[in-house]
Amino acid sequence: MGLFDFFKKKETAPEAQEALDKGLEKTKDGFFNKITKAVAGKSSVDDEVLDNLEEVLVTSDVGVSTTLKIIKRIEERVARDKYLNTSELNFILRDEIQLLLSENNSNDFRQFEYGDHKPYVIMVVGVNGVGKTTTIGKLAHKLKESGLKVVLGAADTFRAAAVDQIKLWGERVGVRVVAQAMGSDPASVAFDTLQSAVANGEDVVIIDTAGRLHNKIGLMNELGKIKQVMQKVVPGAPHEILLVLDASTGQNAFEQCKQFTEATDVNALAITKLDGTAKGGVVIGISDQFKIPVKYIGVGEKINDLQLFDKKDFVNSLFK
């Protein structure tokens, strides 16, 4: 059974959709106010409307590269249908964004399988303050609710607060936490966590890591060392390297994604704090530019507000 199936068992579609709609309210309001202004006084989609739309997308943090792709696609549709009017623009824009996301993320989460990996090892990376530990706690909660045995590894040993936070989440959701003294070798914590997970027959291991980007070489070396020691215990680990990004940082999230993807083999993204920002467009741009599946999105502060990312649901909610 896939992890996707585990989530769906516990989360009914209406509840998830309602949380998603609420979480995207700020992005939606800002986005549509800008589009309304972009087409004001215009009946047909002309060059001026397209220029205005380009500005709307860029200022909504979709990113320049992705915006230009979307505008080009709309231009081609306008060329094919000379009588395209501005009232149809929202539908066309929604279609083109959905198509773009589908093309860029063929490795969708719906096809992700838990498979034969036991334990399945997730290494979580990201700068401090993006909601990394909260995402780990919420993910552990979802998986435990589904009947999986989960263990957390507190390998961000440079901040006492990080270790304490992971321990608190462990207590809150009822999962085991492996931790050592502050300043311990992060690789040692990861090694211990995997060894104990194997001994205890646990299903999923989630390893937190330090979120420092001031020295990319140091980060690369540290993450590389953690991966090496984990593979001594579980060949092929980590199976998932999950990068957590904060949507509210806008363009800075793109830069963080660039830095971390250069430092390690990120193969999944979690984008948090969508409910607190009008910059939800970063989900579209990052998904497109980095070709890495967005697997989870954070749409609120409640423990169940970490959702599986569904491209179609996301775009439909944005244009609802």
Side-chain angles (χ1 to χ4, degrees):
M1 182 182 279
L3 288 179
F4 175 81
D5 300 310
F6 283 124
F7 274 85
K8 282 297 180 190
K9 273 168 63 180
K10 292 290 179 181
E11 195 173 84
T12 61
E15 288 168 1
Q17 190 63 52
E18 191 180 324
L20 180 62
D21 292 346
K22 194 164 184 289
L24 291 179
E25 268 174 9
K26 289 185 179 176
T27 294
K28 194 160 43 179
D29 290 349
F31 193 55
F32 283 112
N33 285 341
K34 289 175 185 174
I35 288 179
T36 302
K37 287 175 186 167
V39 300
K42 293 280 188 177
S43 58
S44 62
V45 179
D46 58 14
D47 288 346
E48 188 184 346
V49 167
L50 288 170
D51 284 346
N52 291 342
L53 181 60
E54 185 177 317
E55 189 181 333
V56 168
L57 292 168
V58 171
T59 56
S60 298
D61 288 280
V62 170
V64 175
S65 170
T66 304
T67 293
L68 294 176
K69 282 186 197 175
I70 293 167
I71 295 297
K72 188 183 176 197
R73 286 164 177 253
I74 293 174
E75 279 175 343
E76 287 166 359
R77 284 177 76 152
V78 171
R80 286 197 305 270
D81 183 355
K82 305 291 182 191
Y83 302 102
L84 215 58
N85 60 56
T86 52
S87 65
E88 296 172 277
L89 192 58
N90 283 355
F91 299 107
I92 294 161
L93 189 56
R94 182 187 64 190
D95 285 352
E96 292 303 338
I97 289 172
Q98 273 186 352
L99 278 168
L100 190 70
L101 290 179
S102 297
E103 289 160 19
N104 284 319
N105 264 342
S106 54
N107 180 22
D108 202 356
F109 196 75
R110 287 180 183 274
Q111 277 76 55
F112 175 77
E113 288 299 320
Y114 178 62
D116 298 326
H117 301 299
K118 183 171 178 174
Y120 184 83
V121 182
I122 303 170
M123 182 167 83
V124 184
V125 300
V127 300
N128 298 330
V130 295
K132 190 157 51 87
T133 314
T134 302
T135 298
I136 290 169
K138 288 178 177 179
L139 181 55
H141 168 69
K142 292 272 189 185
L143 297 172
K144 180 175 182 282
E145 248 197 343
S146 310
L148 291 173
K149 289 172 72 180
V150 183
V151 59
L152 309 180
D156 181 357
T157 57
F158 293 92
R159 294 185 310 130
V163 176
D164 289 344
Q165 232 187 325
I166 281 277
K167 285 178 175 175
L168 281 172
W169 269 107
E171 287 172 19
R172 184 179 176 189
V173 305
V175 302
R176 203 165 60 82
V177 177
V178 174
Q180 292 180 10
M182 189 188 162
S184 299
D185 180 4
S188 170
V189 177
F191 184 85
D192 283 357
T193 309
L194 264 67
Q195 268 203 326
S196 66
V198 170
N200 289 316
E202 277 146 334
D203 300 297
V204 183
V205 179
I206 308 176
I207 303 287
D208 188 19
T209 63
R212 297 161 304 134
L213 260 187
H214 62 271
N215 178 347
K216 196 166 70 187
I217 301 299
L219 175 75
M220 203 179 288
N221 291 341
E222 183 179 294
L223 295 177
K225 185 180 172 188
I226 292 172
K227 281 169 69 175
Q228 281 172 358
V229 302
M230 288 200 289
Q231 285 167 8
K232 289 177 182 175
V233 186
V234 178
H239 307 104
E240 186 173 307
I241 300 180
L242 178 68
L243 171 60
V244 182
L245 299 167
D246 176 353
S248 69
T249 62
Q251 290 305 297
N252 196 27
F254 282 81
E255 183 56 30
Q256 287 173 27
C257 197
K258 180 174 178 287
Q259 297 281 330
F260 274 98
T261 51
E262 286 173 1
T264 191
D265 301 318
V266 175
N267 60 2
L269 299 174
I271 299 182
T272 65
K273 307 185 187 181
L274 281 165
D275 56 308
T277 182
K279 297 180 178 181
V282 298
V283 175
I284 299 162
I286 284 174
S287 175
D288 170 47
Q289 286 183 40
F290 291 94
K291 310 293 187 283
I292 299 169
V294 176
K295 289 195 171 180
Y296 313 103
I297 52 172
V299 294
E301 292 180 8
K302 296 200 289 284
I303 198 164
N304 283 313
D305 284 338
L306 181 73
Q307 290 193 0
L308 288 170
F309 178 64
D310 181 294
K311 295 186 283 281
K312 192 174 178 184
D313 288 351
F314 180 85
V315 178
N316 283 341
S317 182
L318 195 57
F319 282 85
K320 196 175 273 184

